[in-house]
Amino acid sequence: MEKLFESMLWNSRIVLVFGVISCMVTGVALICLGLYEVIHLISALFDYLITHSSNVTRDNIILFVVEILDTFLLSAILFIFAFGLYELFISPIENSRQHTSKAYEIKTIDQLKAKLGKVVIMLLVIKVFAYLVEIKPKSMVELLYLAIIVLLVAISLWLGHAEIKRSN
């Protein structure tokens, strides 16, 4: 009875395949959305540079670029998570051993968390950048707040980079 239960418990990890597939499908959908956003950006650039449309401003174009980066980074998070789930709980991916890239090489939960954390931090930095582009300060205090935000983002990136150097 115990062997049967342990076998069922061990094989239940296969249910995570649904999570892996869901992450991959969502990642592919986000890449398609990103490609659509690129087409939208090209259209906006055409309006801005060629027709000089008043509907499109430089800030709009910058925000389009930020949205594109945001979309592709989010898809990267989903793919890293899918690879990590599969490698950690289901089976090692043999094809990943042949590549020199370490982006998808995940051996522990801590490595998965660290990789996801780095990408999430970059996603947050891009979001902060998008908000900074939209904000038009009306007073010196608001300008000071913006400077503090930029300083805090820079410090967080610097600390993250220092941590990477220390772990290597």
Side-chain angles (χ1 to χ4, degrees):
M1 182 73 163
E2 181 180 342
K3 294 273 187 201
L4 176 67
F5 178 74
E6 288 176 359
S7 174
M8 283 181 10
L9 184 62
W10 176 249
N11 289 330
S12 69
R13 77 189 193 289
I14 303 300
V15 173
L16 287 173
V17 167
F18 295 116
V20 171
I21 292 170
S22 298
C23 285
M24 290 177 57
V25 167
T26 308
V28 169
L30 282 174
I31 287 174
C32 292
L33 176 64
L35 292 173
Y36 174 78
E37 290 174 350
V38 167
I39 293 168
H40 191 223
L41 171 67
I42 292 169
S43 171
L45 278 172
F46 179 80
D47 288 345
Y48 181 72
L49 295 173
I50 307 300
T51 65
H52 301 292
S53 172
S54 61
N55 294 337
V56 180
T57 64
R58 182 178 176 275
D59 289 345
N60 291 106
I61 292 174
I62 291 172
L63 287 176
F64 290 152
V65 172
V66 169
E67 288 173 8
I68 291 168
L69 290 175
D70 195 29
T71 303
F72 286 129
L73 270 175
L74 193 53
S75 70
I77 288 172
L78 288 167
F79 279 111
I80 290 170
F81 190 69
F83 278 92
L85 274 180
Y86 192 88
E87 284 250 341
L88 288 174
F89 296 106
I90 298 169
S91 173
I93 301 171
E94 295 303 320
N95 290 342
S96 69
R97 307 286 180 254
Q98 299 168 355
H99 295 283
T100 57
S101 171
K102 303 287 183 195
Y104 292 114
E105 186 178 305
I106 298 167
K107 295 187 184 342
T108 65
I109 292 280
D110 288 335
Q111 279 183 331
L112 178 61
K113 287 186 335 188
K115 287 180 190 277
L116 288 174
K118 291 173 192 171
V119 179
V120 167
I121 286 173
M122 286 310 299
L123 194 64
L124 291 173
V125 168
I126 289 171
K127 280 294 189 190
V128 167
F129 178 70
Y131 290 131
L132 290 178
V133 168
E134 290 178 359
I135 294 174
K136 305 289 186 228
K138 295 178 178 68
S139 68
M140 289 302 284
V141 173
E142 289 178 1
L143 195 59
L144 179 64
Y145 290 154
L146 289 177
I148 290 170
I149 290 170
V150 170
L151 179 66
L152 290 174
V153 167
I155 289 172
S156 69
L157 289 174
W158 178 73
L159 287 174
H161 187 68
E163 180 63 31
I164 291 169
K165 280 187 174 181
R166 199 174 318 120
S167 65
N168 289 338

